[in-house]
Structure formats: C-alpha cells, structure tokens
Amino acid sequence: MKRMPGYVNYYKLSLLRGCYSGMEPTHAHSLEVIGNWGGYITPMLDSGEEGCTFNRLVVDGSFGEAKLEVIAAATDETEVFIDDAPQNLELYLKNPDVPVQDKTELLCALPHVRAVDTQDLLLHSLRGRYLWVCAAAYRTGEASPELVGLRVELPKYSFTEYFPEIYTGDEFFERYIAVFQSLFMEAEARVDEIPRLLDYRTTPPDNVEYLASWLGIDNSRGLFSPDQMRHMIKNIDIYQGAKGTKYALEQIILLLTGISPKIVEQFEWELPKLSPAQLEANGRLYGESAGHFCVILDLTKMALNVSEDDLEQVIEGYCALGSQFKVVYLKLCNHIDTHCYLDINSALSVPETVGLDSGTIGEHITVG
C-alpha cells in the first residue's frame, strides 16, 4: 500500500505565525501587501524524518497583475554559517530584525525550488527534514496582492509509480502526469469533504443557510446568524415540526430577540365569571375572536434587536393557518394605556397620593 500524501496548512492564525514584511493582517487573518512589495516566510516545517520528500506546494491568494515569486527550501541541518559564525536556521529565519531579503538569499543558498507567477508547483526534487517557504509579491497595478494561505503536501507521490517501468524516471513525463494528478487529487479531496460539509455542526458558516433551506428554514431576510441556524437545525422538530403551535412561536421569538414572550389566547381570558365590560376590555387588549392572539414583549430591560416589521414577518410564518395576531411592546412609560402593568412598565406621571376607591373602570380598581 503506497503512502498517500498528507497536508500541512498555513492559514489564518498559522499563517500569521510566520515572518512577514511589507504586509499587514486583514480582519479575515490573511496578509495584504501595503506597499510596492511584500514578503512572507513560513515557520519551520519539521517532517520528523531525515531525507523526507515533498510533493506539492499550493499558494492561495489573489495576486492579480502582481509578480509572485515563490521559493521552497529544504535541508536536514538546522545550523548554517553566516559571516563565518554559526547560526540556527529556525531562529535566524523567524528573527523580525533580519530583513526578508537576507532570509531569501539564505534560502536560495539551500537546496530549493523557485517559481515565478505560479501558485501551484511541484517539490519532487526537494529532500530534507526541515522545510521553509518564502512568498514575495511585487505590486504592478492598483490592486493590493493578498496572501490567504499555503498548503504543503508530503511525501512525494506520483502517478507514474502505477505505470510500467519504462515510464518511470522520465522527468518530463512525471511533470506532465502531475497536472492530471493534481486535478484528480483536488477532486478527491472535495469528495472527502462532503460529509463535513453536510454536517450542520462542522460545515462553514457560509454553508449553514444553504443546509437550513433544505429543511424549510427561511432566512431570506438575513435575521438569523449561522449559530442560530445551527440551533434551529438541531431542534428541527420544534422549529419545523411544531410550526403553528404556541410553543414553537415562543421559541422562535426567544431565539430571534432574546426575549421570552407572553402569548395570550382567547381561552385564557374569556371566562364565564367576567362581566361584559371586562370581556369587552380584554377583547380590545388581546383580540376579539378565537382566531386572534396577542404577543407581548417586555422591552423594559432590553431593546428590540430587530425591526418590528421583521419580527411580525417571522411571527406570521409561525402562526396557525387563518389566525390573526397583534404585537404589544411593553416599554417604560409615564402614562397609563391599555397595556400597562404594575411593576413592569407603569409609572406615575406626577407622584401624588391616591385612594383605592378614587378610580374605577368597570369592576376594576386601578392604581397608576
């Protein structure tokens, strides 16, 4: 069984651990050239095996019309002589006080592979336990070159090993086959990624909404974050299976706003012992028929993080067919209206002494 190549990636935080000059990190943890030139050197890659072979290097980024120079150097030794003095390669190459140009010259003095204006190069000729990669971009236009990451494949692996012996050892044929080998292995890697991409727990944030749409979760208005949609997929029996129920509506409002709502339906207030005046007042408050309900949100402790229109669109999507609703927002106020509650959002306009029998509405005694 032939040993398939593995991967060493330099992306995001791993990329930023390298040494760079003329570049600055972006919010996405890539490196952007800020002047006419920018150079980057990876941290030392220790394969753990003397005489290790390498297969391929891929440079990920957008370089446009910029000139890109890539150097990959390998060696079994970590000590070199610079100005007749022994120097540790790892410490020298990651020393920020040493110019990148001097480091590049040192790498070119080691066994290396160099390429210009190519982001995919073979490393079959390299051997060594330790590897460094240098990428330099020279800007020639207006756009700023950006280095997103690098990927090193090791050990050496060639499809020519499956050909008859007459084809082996031919450098041209090996490079020719490497083109198709790269296409095949990239396609194979994408196939291997499918289980991870289809798992809502591991798929990238940009892909969560796509997975959610397969389950009928609508985020066309962009109201839910990737983490919220992962939660919805995990609890799909609530957010889709229980759609149209009071419980599902409470959960979607809580997820969207972070506020636990109070939902009042007609049977909760329409009791035989209530007087006609009370029934009329409750009808105005909560809805007049069995198909009506009222959603009450307490905004006295926190503000609403979505627009009222967006919230009502979500509620409408979770209502039972044929039902109607009204949304009441309890805010701190200084005037009594139809939705003021003691100890929640009510307050005296002008503090004064009142009597319990001084104000009545119907059969209710009110104190504001």
Side-chain angles (χ1 to χ4, degrees):
M1 184 74 178
K2 296 184 181 297
R3 180 183 171 188
M4 298 294 289
Y7 304 94
V8 176
N9 291 321
Y10 296 96
Y11 280 86
K12 297 186 181 297
L13 297 180
S14 295
L15 179 72
L16 299 184
R17 293 191 185 101
C19 184
Y20 50 89
S21 177
M23 296 178 163
E24 63 179 15
T26 68
H27 67 281
H29 301 298
S30 59
L31 290 172
E32 185 178 24
V33 176
I34 56 176
N36 294 325
W37 172 88
Y40 173 82
I41 297 179
T42 63
M44 182 182 72
L45 189 163
D46 184 358
S47 67
E49 176 186 345
E50 289 193 5
C52 177
T53 58
F54 300 90
N55 190 57
R56 180 179 171 220
L57 169 66
V58 178
V59 180
D60 187 3
S62 56
F63 299 95
E65 299 177 354
K67 177 184 176 182
L68 174 66
E69 180 183 20
V70 181
I71 299 171
T75 179
D76 284 325
E77 305 295 332
T78 58
E79 191 173 275
V80 294
F81 282 85
I82 300 175
D83 296 332
D84 296 328
Q87 294 278 356
N88 182 281
L89 261 176
E90 181 182 9
L91 297 178
Y92 182 83
L93 291 173
K94 71 179 183 181
N95 186 350
D97 297 328
V98 178
V100 174
Q101 291 88 340
D102 293 349
K103 298 176 183 179
T104 303
E105 291 179 6
L106 176 60
L107 291 178
C108 288
L110 301 174
H112 69 280
V113 172
R114 179 180 177 272
V116 176
D117 292 336
T118 180
Q119 295 178 233
D120 191 331
L121 60 154
L122 290 177
L123 305 179
H124 288 182
S125 62
L126 285 183
R127 287 182 178 273
R129 174 173 175 172
Y130 309 103
L131 177 79
W132 291 268
V133 177
C134 174
Y138 303 84
R139 185 160 61 180
T140 58
E142 295 296 328
S144 297
E146 182 179 3
L147 177 64
V148 177
L150 302 101
R151 186 183 72 199
V152 178
E153 298 177 4
L154 70 160
K156 176 182 176 181
Y157 177 75
S158 176
F159 280 3
T160 57
E161 298 177 14
Y162 297 98
F163 283 75
E165 187 175 353
I166 191 175
Y167 293 100
T168 61
D170 188 322
E171 183 179 352
F172 171 78
F173 183 71
E174 188 174 83
R175 296 181 69 85
Y176 177 77
I177 290 297
V179 176
F180 303 98
Q181 176 180 328
S182 298
L183 295 174
F184 176 83
M185 294 187 69
E186 286 181 358
E188 190 176 56
R190 286 196 295 270
V191 171
D192 292 339
E193 281 284 285
I194 289 178
R196 187 182 72 88
L197 295 176
L198 294 180
D199 190 331
Y200 71 92
R201 296 165 297 184
T202 57
T203 195
D206 294 342
N207 200 45
V208 177
E209 185 172 334
Y210 184 61
L211 289 184
S213 67
W214 291 2
L215 301 174
I217 298 174
D218 180 22
N219 194 37
S220 57
R221 301 172 75 95
L223 301 179
F224 299 100
S225 68
D227 286 340
Q228 287 175 321
M229 285 188 288
R230 293 184 206 272
H231 177 77
M232 294 170 72
I233 295 173
K234 179 181 179 180
N235 299 279
I236 194 65
D237 56 324
I238 296 174
Y239 294 102
Q240 286 297 93
K243 219 171 189 180
T245 66
K246 178 180 177 180
Y247 180 69
L249 183 57
E250 289 173 340
Q251 294 303 306
I252 194 65
I253 294 175
L254 176 60
L255 180 67
L256 178 62
T257 66
I259 303 170
S260 182
K262 173 64 177 176
I263 299 177
V264 182
E265 300 177 82
Q266 186 185 34
F267 74 89
E268 297 183 74
W269 59 262
E270 190 180 34
L271 302 174
K273 63 181 180 181
L274 296 179
S275 67
Q278 290 173 322
L279 290 174
E280 182 183 356
N282 284 349
R284 292 197 306 271
L285 284 171
Y286 306 117
E288 299 177 351
S289 68
H292 289 71
F293 64 91
C294 178
V295 178
I296 303 174
L297 284 180
D298 183 2
L299 302 183
T300 59
K301 297 180 177 63
M302 62 184 296
L304 191 65
N305 57 0
V306 297
S307 70
E308 295 181 7
D309 180 59
D310 286 336
L311 175 59
E312 291 179 9
Q313 288 286 338
V314 171
I315 294 174
E316 185 174 348
Y318 276 76
C319 285
L321 188 64
S323 62
Q324 298 183 33
F325 66 92
K326 61 186 297 188
V327 183
V328 175
Y329 303 98
L330 297 183
K331 302 177 182 179
L332 290 175
C333 58
N334 59 359
H335 292 281
I336 298 298
D337 62 13
T338 55
H339 279 90
C340 280
Y341 298 88
L342 293 177
D343 297 327
I344 297 179
N345 69 325
S346 58
L348 289 173
S349 295
V350 180
E352 59 183 54
T353 303
V354 298
L356 291 180
D357 59 346
S358 62
T360 59
I361 299 178
E363 297 179 1
H364 292 274
I365 298 175
T366 62
V367 178

